[in-house]
Amino acid sequence: MSDIRVGVIGAQGRMGSHAVEAIEAADGFVLTAALGSSDPIEQILDAKVDVAVELTVPGATEANVAFLVDHGIDTVVGTTGWTAERLDGLRTRLADQPQTAVLIAPNFSIGAVLAMRFAELAAPYFDSAEILEIHHTRKLDAPSGTAVHTAQRIARARADAGLPDMPDATDSDPHGARGAAIDGVHVHAVRQQGMNAHEEIMFGSDGEALTLRTDTFSTSAFMPGILTAVRTIGERSGLDVGLESYLDLA
Ligand SMILES: NC(=O)C1=CN([C@@H]2O[C@H](COP(=O)(O)OP(=O)(O)OC[C@H]3O[C@@H](n4cnc5c(N)ncnc54)[C@H](OP(=O)(O)O)[C@@H]3O)[C@@H](O)[C@H]2O)C=CC1
Ligand SMILES: O=C(O)C1=N[C@H](C(=O)O)C[C@H](O)C1
């Protein structure tokens, strides 16, 4: 089998530069493009890539992915900022490219993917669930894509189990201390010097608590997930959200 031709967009960033190294070091891949913010995305066409890996910023990712889909290029996206509206627009675009696949993966770390799965399993059994995400101070968006995805999965699992709204007597919160409510699940974002990427998922019922925690200390944690996604995406079509759908953990 011939090597998969890969192009990285955002190749000078923290994630992108690490992805370039991981692709160059792994068997079965050849890196044919490494684009930074000043490189026109059209260069990806000359490089004849099979798979693009998009690791840029929330403000650029939607236009980049639209261009790649319109040119029939399978795309693995690690960039965050994919709202429900953006995802709907992408689904519409993909309908015109039925052979093309996009994976939007809010988190490529296996620990984070498993924590989200465990959270989904735990969700129906507890009255309360809240999420604390802690990141480095260079992060542009809040809450993290992982926290949004976790909250949505917890909310769906609670709804499927027929659980009522969570108990919460708060009737005054002038400073927003209860955080963001995503599908009814409260999410709290901390930005702290010295931290990297961390998430705690807290569950509670009368007399007991369960806390799930996932920590990534370095961008190296995300590389095996990126390589798995690049290896697998050629077998898929349409849009998947979450690496779990490529790992049989959905
Ligand atoms: N899914 C996952 O597992 C993970 C996802 N992330 C997410 O990935 C994204 C990138 O994170 P990180 O690498 O830390 O961020 P960085 O800021 O280190 O890197 C972003 C890079 O994108 C470049 N860039 C911006 N716009 C464009 C464009 N239009 N075309 C090409 N390159 C562009 C920037 O270039 P310049 O500096 O010149 O503007 C910069 O080099 C974030 O959304 C983050 O949340 C992060 C870690 C794990
Ligand atoms: O910006 C980061 O660093 C990370 N971003 C992703 C997110 O927003 O969930 C994944 C991980 O948390 C690291």
Side-chain angles (χ1 to χ4, degrees), residues 218-242:
S218 143
T219 45
S220 56
F222 306 113
M223 297 306 131
I226 290 180
L227 295 181
T228 297
V230 172
R231 212 175 274 124
T232 310
I233 198 166
E235 301 158 17
R236 318 286 286 217
S237 60
L239 177 64
D240 284 294
V241 180

PDB file of all heavy atoms in Angstrom, residues 218-242:
ATOM      1  N   SER A 218       1.546  17.500  27.908  1.00  0.00           N
ATOM      2  CA  SER A 218       2.352  17.877  26.748  1.00  0.00           C
ATOM      3  C   SER A 218       1.557  17.583  25.482  1.00  0.00           C
ATOM      4  O   SER A 218       0.682  16.701  25.476  1.00  0.00           O
ATOM      5  CB  SER A 218       3.645  17.062  26.778  1.00  0.00           C
ATOM      6  OG  SER A 218       4.039  16.688  25.487  1.00  0.00           O
ATOM      7  N   THR A 219       1.887  18.288  24.403  1.00  0.00           N
ATOM      8  CA  THR A 219       1.184  18.046  23.136  1.00  0.00           C
ATOM      9  C   THR A 219       1.456  16.645  22.602  1.00  0.00           C
ATOM     10  O   THR A 219       0.714  16.166  21.742  1.00  0.00           O
ATOM     11  CB  THR A 219       1.594  19.076  22.060  1.00  0.00           C
ATOM     12  OG1 THR A 219       3.002  19.220  22.096  1.00  0.00           O
ATOM     13  CG2 THR A 219       0.953  20.419  22.276  1.00  0.00           C
ATOM     14  N   SER A 220       2.491  15.979  23.109  1.00  0.00           N
ATOM     15  CA  SER A 220       2.764  14.609  22.649  1.00  0.00           C
ATOM     16  C   SER A 220       1.565  13.689  22.909  1.00  0.00           C
ATOM     17  O   SER A 220       1.353  12.705  22.198  1.00  0.00           O
ATOM     18  CB  SER A 220       4.024  14.053  23.312  1.00  0.00           C
ATOM     19  OG  SER A 220       3.884  14.121  24.710  1.00  0.00           O
ATOM     20  N   ALA A 221       0.751  14.017  23.920  1.00  0.00           N
ATOM     21  CA  ALA A 221      -0.415  13.181  24.252  1.00  0.00           C
ATOM     22  C   ALA A 221      -1.413  13.095  23.100  1.00  0.00           C
ATOM     23  O   ALA A 221      -2.193  12.142  23.011  1.00  0.00           O
ATOM     24  CB  ALA A 221      -1.133  13.753  25.476  1.00  0.00           C
ATOM     25  N   PHE A 222      -1.403  14.096  22.225  1.00  0.00           N
ATOM     26  CA  PHE A 222      -2.412  14.159  21.172  1.00  0.00           C
ATOM     27  C   PHE A 222      -1.973  13.469  19.881  1.00  0.00           C
ATOM     28  O   PHE A 222      -2.790  13.265  18.981  1.00  0.00           O
ATOM     29  CB  PHE A 222      -2.752  15.629  20.866  1.00  0.00           C
ATOM     30  CG  PHE A 222      -3.166  16.412  22.093  1.00  0.00           C
ATOM     31  CD1 PHE A 222      -2.382  17.442  22.604  1.00  0.00           C
ATOM     32  CD2 PHE A 222      -4.354  16.112  22.751  1.00  0.00           C
ATOM     33  CE1 PHE A 222      -2.764  18.154  23.723  1.00  0.00           C
ATOM     34  CE2 PHE A 222      -4.745  16.819  23.875  1.00  0.00           C
ATOM     35  CZ  PHE A 222      -3.948  17.840  24.373  1.00  0.00           C
ATOM     36  N   MET A 223      -0.684  13.128  19.782  1.00  0.00           N
ATOM     37  CA  MET A 223      -0.166  12.657  18.494  1.00  0.00           C
ATOM     38  C   MET A 223      -0.668  11.264  18.089  1.00  0.00           C
ATOM     39  O   MET A 223      -1.025  11.057  16.931  1.00  0.00           O
ATOM     40  CB  MET A 223       1.374  12.729  18.468  1.00  0.00           C
ATOM     41  CG  MET A 223       1.870  14.158  18.605  1.00  0.00           C
ATOM     42  SD  MET A 223       1.132  15.257  17.354  1.00  0.00           S
ATOM     43  CE  MET A 223       0.584  16.644  18.349  1.00  0.00           C
ATOM     44  N   PRO A 224      -0.717  10.271  18.995  1.00  0.00           N
ATOM     45  CA  PRO A 224      -1.242   8.965  18.562  1.00  0.00           C
ATOM     46  C   PRO A 224      -2.673   9.077  18.019  1.00  0.00           C
ATOM     47  O   PRO A 224      -3.027   8.416  17.037  1.00  0.00           O
ATOM     48  CB  PRO A 224      -1.180   8.110  19.838  1.00  0.00           C
ATOM     49  CG  PRO A 224      -0.123   8.754  20.666  1.00  0.00           C
ATOM     50  CD  PRO A 224      -0.220  10.228  20.389  1.00  0.00           C
ATOM     51  N   GLY A 225      -3.472   9.926  18.623  1.00  0.00           N
ATOM     52  CA  GLY A 225      -4.856  10.109  18.154  1.00  0.00           C
ATOM     53  C   GLY A 225      -4.890  10.726  16.760  1.00  0.00           C
ATOM     54  O   GLY A 225      -5.704  10.329  15.913  1.00  0.00           O
ATOM     55  N   ILE A 226      -4.015  11.686  16.517  1.00  0.00           N
ATOM     56  CA  ILE A 226      -3.964  12.303  15.178  1.00  0.00           C
ATOM     57  C   ILE A 226      -3.566  11.252  14.153  1.00  0.00           C
ATOM     58  O   ILE A 226      -4.179  11.146  13.078  1.00  0.00           O
ATOM     59  CB  ILE A 226      -2.981  13.499  15.168  1.00  0.00           C
ATOM     60  CG1 ILE A 226      -3.558  14.648  15.995  1.00  0.00           C
ATOM     61  CG2 ILE A 226      -2.680  13.944  13.730  1.00  0.00           C
ATOM     62  CD1 ILE A 226      -2.677  15.893  16.068  1.00  0.00           C
ATOM     63  N   LEU A 227      -2.548  10.445  14.464  1.00  0.00           N
ATOM     64  CA  LEU A 227      -2.095   9.431  13.501  1.00  0.00           C
ATOM     65  C   LEU A 227      -3.200   8.399  13.243  1.00  0.00           C
ATOM     66  O   LEU A 227      -3.425   7.994  12.095  1.00  0.00           O
ATOM     67  CB  LEU A 227      -0.819   8.742  14.004  1.00  0.00           C
ATOM     68  CG  LEU A 227       0.421   9.653  14.115  1.00  0.00           C
ATOM     69  CD1 LEU A 227       1.623   8.843  14.604  1.00  0.00           C
ATOM     70  CD2 LEU A 227       0.755  10.348  12.807  1.00  0.00           C
ATOM     71  N   THR A 228      -3.900   7.986  14.275  1.00  0.00           N
ATOM     72  CA  THR A 228      -5.023   7.049  14.095  1.00  0.00           C
ATOM     73  C   THR A 228      -6.081   7.657  13.177  1.00  0.00           C
ATOM     74  O   THR A 228      -6.607   6.999  12.275  1.00  0.00           O
ATOM     75  CB  THR A 228      -5.661   6.710  15.459  1.00  0.00           C
ATOM     76  OG1 THR A 228      -4.689   6.061  16.258  1.00  0.00           O
ATOM     77  CG2 THR A 228      -6.882   5.810  15.314  1.00  0.00           C
ATOM     78  N   ALA A 229      -6.387   8.918  13.400  1.00  0.00           N
ATOM     79  CA  ALA A 229      -7.417   9.581  12.585  1.00  0.00           C
ATOM     80  C   ALA A 229      -6.976   9.667  11.124  1.00  0.00           C
ATOM     81  O   ALA A 229      -7.767   9.381  10.212  1.00  0.00           O
ATOM     82  CB  ALA A 229      -7.703  10.963  13.147  1.00  0.00           C
ATOM     83  N   VAL A 230      -5.714  10.041  10.890  1.00  0.00           N
ATOM     84  CA  VAL A 230      -5.227  10.164   9.506  1.00  0.00           C
ATOM     85  C   VAL A 230      -5.252   8.798   8.820  1.00  0.00           C
ATOM     86  O   VAL A 230      -5.619   8.674   7.652  1.00  0.00           O
ATOM     87  CB  VAL A 230      -3.800  10.767   9.487  1.00  0.00           C
ATOM     88  CG1 VAL A 230      -3.209  10.716   8.080  1.00  0.00           C
ATOM     89  CG2 VAL A 230      -3.830  12.203   9.998  1.00  0.00           C
ATOM     90  N   ARG A 231      -4.905   7.766   9.577  1.00  0.00           N
ATOM     91  CA  ARG A 231      -4.872   6.398   9.026  1.00  0.00           C
ATOM     92  C   ARG A 231      -6.289   5.915   8.681  1.00  0.00           C
ATOM     93  O   ARG A 231      -6.488   5.155   7.740  1.00  0.00           O
ATOM     94  CB  ARG A 231      -4.256   5.471  10.084  1.00  0.00           C
ATOM     95  CG  ARG A 231      -3.467   4.321   9.509  1.00  0.00           C
ATOM     96  CD  ARG A 231      -2.788   3.538  10.624  1.00  0.00           C
ATOM     97  NE  ARG A 231      -1.500   4.083  11.019  1.00  0.00           N
ATOM     98  CZ  ARG A 231      -1.158   4.459  12.245  1.00  0.00           C
ATOM     99  NH1 ARG A 231      -2.036   4.385  13.237  1.00  0.00           N
ATOM    100  NH2 ARG A 231       0.037   4.926  12.500  1.00  0.00           N
ATOM    101  N   THR A 232      -7.283   6.342   9.448  1.00  0.00           N
ATOM    102  CA  THR A 232      -8.638   5.789   9.356  1.00  0.00           C
ATOM    103  C   THR A 232      -9.562   6.576   8.438  1.00  0.00           C
ATOM    104  O   THR A 232     -10.520   6.025   7.887  1.00  0.00           O
ATOM    105  CB  THR A 232      -9.273   5.750  10.778  1.00  0.00           C
ATOM    106  OG1 THR A 232      -8.351   5.124  11.663  1.00  0.00           O
ATOM    107  CG2 THR A 232     -10.587   4.998  10.800  1.00  0.00           C
ATOM    108  N   ILE A 233      -9.303   7.846   8.251  1.00  0.00           N
ATOM    109  CA  ILE A 233     -10.321   8.715   7.630  1.00  0.00           C
ATOM    110  C   ILE A 233     -10.647   8.318   6.192  1.00  0.00           C
ATOM    111  O   ILE A 233     -11.777   8.527   5.732  1.00  0.00           O
ATOM    112  CB  ILE A 233      -9.915  10.212   7.747  1.00  0.00           C
ATOM    113  CG1 ILE A 233     -11.140  11.110   7.511  1.00  0.00           C
ATOM    114  CG2 ILE A 233      -8.767  10.562   6.802  1.00  0.00           C
ATOM    115  CD1 ILE A 233     -10.943  12.555   7.916  1.00  0.00           C
ATOM    116  N   GLY A 234      -9.714   7.680   5.513  1.00  0.00           N
ATOM    117  CA  GLY A 234      -9.967   7.253   4.130  1.00  0.00           C
ATOM    118  C   GLY A 234     -11.081   6.226   4.020  1.00  0.00           C
ATOM    119  O   GLY A 234     -11.679   6.055   2.943  1.00  0.00           O
ATOM    120  N   GLU A 235     -11.386   5.540   5.128  1.00  0.00           N
ATOM    121  CA  GLU A 235     -12.467   4.530   5.113  1.00  0.00           C
ATOM    122  C   GLU A 235     -13.825   5.166   5.413  1.00  0.00           C
ATOM    123  O   GLU A 235     -14.838   4.464   5.466  1.00  0.00           O
ATOM    124  CB  GLU A 235     -12.192   3.473   6.197  1.00  0.00           C
ATOM    125  CG  GLU A 235     -10.881   2.742   6.025  1.00  0.00           C
ATOM    126  CD  GLU A 235     -10.401   2.123   7.355  1.00  0.00           C
ATOM    127  OE1 GLU A 235     -11.207   1.993   8.294  1.00  0.00           O
ATOM    128  OE2 GLU A 235      -9.203   1.800   7.421  1.00  0.00           O
ATOM    129  N   ARG A 236     -13.842   6.481   5.690  1.00  0.00           N
ATOM    130  CA  ARG A 236     -15.093   7.115   6.134  1.00  0.00           C
ATOM    131  C   ARG A 236     -15.626   8.095   5.091  1.00  0.00           C
ATOM    132  O   ARG A 236     -14.939   8.448   4.143  1.00  0.00           O
ATOM    133  CB  ARG A 236     -14.846   7.901   7.439  1.00  0.00           C
ATOM    134  CG  ARG A 236     -13.980   7.221   8.460  1.00  0.00           C
ATOM    135  CD  ARG A 236     -14.706   6.119   9.140  1.00  0.00           C
ATOM    136  NE  ARG A 236     -15.676   6.619  10.087  1.00  0.00           N
ATOM    137  CZ  ARG A 236     -15.938   6.042  11.258  1.00  0.00           C
ATOM    138  NH1 ARG A 236     -15.302   4.941  11.626  1.00  0.00           N
ATOM    139  NH2 ARG A 236     -16.852   6.524  12.054  1.00  0.00           N
ATOM    140  N   SER A 237     -16.843   8.562   5.330  1.00  0.00           N
ATOM    141  CA  SER A 237     -17.370   9.683   4.554  1.00  0.00           C
ATOM    142  C   SER A 237     -18.270  10.487   5.488  1.00  0.00           C
ATOM    143  O   SER A 237     -18.702   9.987   6.527  1.00  0.00           O
ATOM    144  CB  SER A 237     -18.152   9.185   3.342  1.00  0.00           C
ATOM    145  OG  SER A 237     -19.228   8.395   3.779  1.00  0.00           O
ATOM    146  N   GLY A 238     -18.523  11.727   5.119  1.00  0.00           N
ATOM    147  CA  GLY A 238     -19.379  12.577   5.942  1.00  0.00           C
ATOM    148  C   GLY A 238     -18.655  13.102   7.171  1.00  0.00           C
ATOM    149  O   GLY A 238     -17.432  13.036   7.276  1.00  0.00           O
ATOM    150  N   LEU A 239     -19.457  13.602   8.122  1.00  0.00           N
ATOM    151  CA  LEU A 239     -18.901  14.273   9.302  1.00  0.00           C
ATOM    152  C   LEU A 239     -18.982  13.396  10.546  1.00  0.00           C
ATOM    153  O   LEU A 239     -20.039  12.854  10.854  1.00  0.00           O
ATOM    154  CB  LEU A 239     -19.677  15.571   9.569  1.00  0.00           C
ATOM    155  CG  LEU A 239     -19.278  16.366  10.814  1.00  0.00           C
ATOM    156  CD1 LEU A 239     -17.843  16.872  10.710  1.00  0.00           C
ATOM    157  CD2 LEU A 239     -20.236  17.532  11.029  1.00  0.00           C
ATOM    158  N   ASP A 240     -17.859  13.256  11.240  1.00  0.00           N
ATOM    159  CA  ASP A 240     -17.852  12.674  12.580  1.00  0.00           C
ATOM    160  C   ASP A 240     -17.350  13.738  13.544  1.00  0.00           C
ATOM    161  O   ASP A 240     -16.412  14.481  13.240  1.00  0.00           O
ATOM    162  CB  ASP A 240     -16.917  11.462  12.654  1.00  0.00           C
ATOM    163  CG  ASP A 240     -17.532  10.230  12.004  1.00  0.00           C
ATOM    164  OD1 ASP A 240     -18.533   9.725  12.528  1.00  0.00           O
ATOM    165  OD2 ASP A 240     -16.998   9.791  10.958  1.00  0.00           O
ATOM    166  N   VAL A 241     -17.947  13.794  14.729  1.00  0.00           N
ATOM    167  CA  VAL A 241     -17.478  14.706  15.770  1.00  0.00           C
ATOM    168  C   VAL A 241     -17.033  13.864  16.952  1.00  0.00           C
ATOM    169  O   VAL A 241     -17.843  13.129  17.533  1.00  0.00           O
ATOM    170  CB  VAL A 241     -18.585  15.703  16.191  1.00  0.00           C
ATOM    171  CG1 VAL A 241     -18.057  16.636  17.285  1.00  0.00           C
ATOM    172  CG2 VAL A 241     -19.060  16.516  15.000  1.00  0.00           C
ATOM    173  N   GLY A 242     -15.747  13.941  17.265  1.00  0.00           N
ATOM    174  CA  GLY A 242     -15.208  13.163  18.385  1.00  0.00           C
ATOM    175  C   GLY A 242     -14.420  11.961  17.898  1.00  0.00           C
ATOM    176  O   GLY A 242     -14.917  11.158  17.106  1.00  0.00           O
TER     177      GLY A 242
END
